[in-house]
Amino acid sequence: MKDGLAEYRRKRDFGATEEPQATMGRRGADAESVFVVQIHDASSLHFDFRLEVGGVLKSWAVPKGPSRDPHERRLAMPTEDHPMSYAEFEGVIAPGQYGAGAVIVWDEGTYSTEESSMTEALARGHASFRLHGHKLRGAYSLIRTRRRAGRDAWLLIRKREGRQSASFRGDAVDPVRARSVLTRRTLRQVAAEAEGPEP
Ligand code: MN
């Protein structure tokens, strides 16, 4: 099997970062596929949108985060595949390490899709799926568009579904005030706890 996590591993020093080591996921065939949205206070504050596809978390950095408003198109820049265990990662990536800064799990859940193969849909540059999260619930598409800075740029867009999505007009999440769906903590609280006194 092709090692989809080589880039993830190459970028990190697992003696210095608390992030999970890269192992390929092994899940039952009937298990539902998961998604996670993390907020990452790195050199630029951004959201990371990740979908389980083929035993790894396919990942995009989304500067403004996913929107529940179907009128909004959110830029999503692909990043390296992450291991399945990353879906539960919340904490602080140590100073000097790749992506140094606090991470919270903003939303998580499962997704369903009518695509016969998500791998093929993403290779074609257009994948549709339905998120079943705590905060994000509804149909979304990821669409590959023009290239930016030598990389493919994608758009993450919510599908219009009658009145269901109308109440989220102009939806914007303030990443500084946002709380973890796992621990209710903000980025600042996660960072402050990491700086606490040594035991
Ligand atoms: Mn990130």
Side-chain angles (χ1 to χ4, degrees), residues 119-179:
T119 302
E120 287 170 20
L122 290 172
R124 282 196 309 270
H126 190 152
S128 295
F129 44 88
R130 180 172 293 278
L131 300 178
H132 312 281
H134 302 263
K135 296 165 180 166
L136 300 177
R137 296 163 189 262
Y140 284 79
S141 290
L142 271 165
I143 300 161
R144 189 168 54 216
T145 60
R146 70 227 171 277
R147 288 174 77 80
R148 263 197 195 193
R151 291 194 295 163
D152 288 326
W154 293 63
L155 295 172
L156 177 60
I157 306 169
R158 180 161 187 193
K159 278 196 182 154
R160 205 169 304 216
E161 295 180 284
R163 283 184 301 177
Q164 198 187 336
S165 47
S167 56
F168 292 108
R169 195 76 198 238
D171 184 39
V173 175
D174 177 351
V176 174
R177 299 174 67 115
R179 289 183 182 275

Side-chain angles (χ1 to χ4, degrees), residues 92 188-199:
V92 175
R188 200 170 155 183
Q189 287 169 328
V190 167
E193 284 177 32
E195 281 172 13
E198 292 291 315

Side-chain angles (χ1 to χ4, degrees), residues 16-192:
T17 183
E18 290 176 33
E19 295 168 289
Q21 297 206 28
T23 49
M24 296 292 282
R26 275 285 163 270
R27 296 160 57 84
D30 295 337
E32 288 181 277
S33 297
V34 305
F35 83 95
V36 63
V37 182
Q38 282 148 323
I39 304 179
H40 184 186
D41 190 9
S43 50
S44 66
L45 185 53
H46 62 274
F47 293 69
D48 286 300
F49 182 78
R50 311 189 198 278
L51 288 175
E52 176 186 0
V53 179
V56 297
L57 292 170
K58 290 284 170 191
S59 299
W60 291 260
V62 183
K64 290 182 171 177
S67 179
R68 289 165 290 190
D69 179 352
H71 301 91
E72 304 264 355
R73 305 158 150 255
R74 294 290 163 84
L75 178 68
M77 296 300 289
T79 59
E80 75 276 18
D81 296 348
H82 280 50
M84 288 304 305
S85 49
Y86 212 92
E88 286 117 53
F89 177 71
E90 181 167 291
V92 175
I93 302 170
Q97 298 304 303
Y98 175 71
V103 175
I104 61 170
V105 175
W106 179 71
D107 197 16
E108 49 132 37
T110 61
Y111 75 90
S112 51
T113 181
E114 289 174 14
E115 308 284 3
S116 54
S117 161
M118 279 293 280
T119 302
E120 287 170 20
L122 290 172
R124 282 196 309 270
H126 190 152
S128 295
F129 44 88
R130 180 172 293 278
L131 300 178
H132 312 281
H134 302 263
K135 296 165 180 166
L136 300 177
R137 296 163 189 262
Y140 284 79
S141 290
L142 271 165
I143 300 161
R144 189 168 54 216
T145 60
R146 70 227 171 277
R147 288 174 77 80
R148 263 197 195 193
R151 291 194 295 163
D152 288 326
W154 293 63
L155 295 172
L156 177 60
I157 306 169
R158 180 161 187 193
K159 278 196 182 154
R160 205 169 304 216
E161 295 180 284
R163 283 184 301 177
Q164 198 187 336
S165 47
S167 56
F168 292 108
R169 195 76 198 238
D171 184 39
V173 175
D174 177 351
V176 174
R177 299 174 67 115
R179 289 183 182 275
S180 162
V181 73
L182 301 181
T183 63
R184 306 297 303 155
R185 295 181 298 172
T186 62
L187 283 167
R188 200 170 155 183
Q189 287 169 328
V190 167

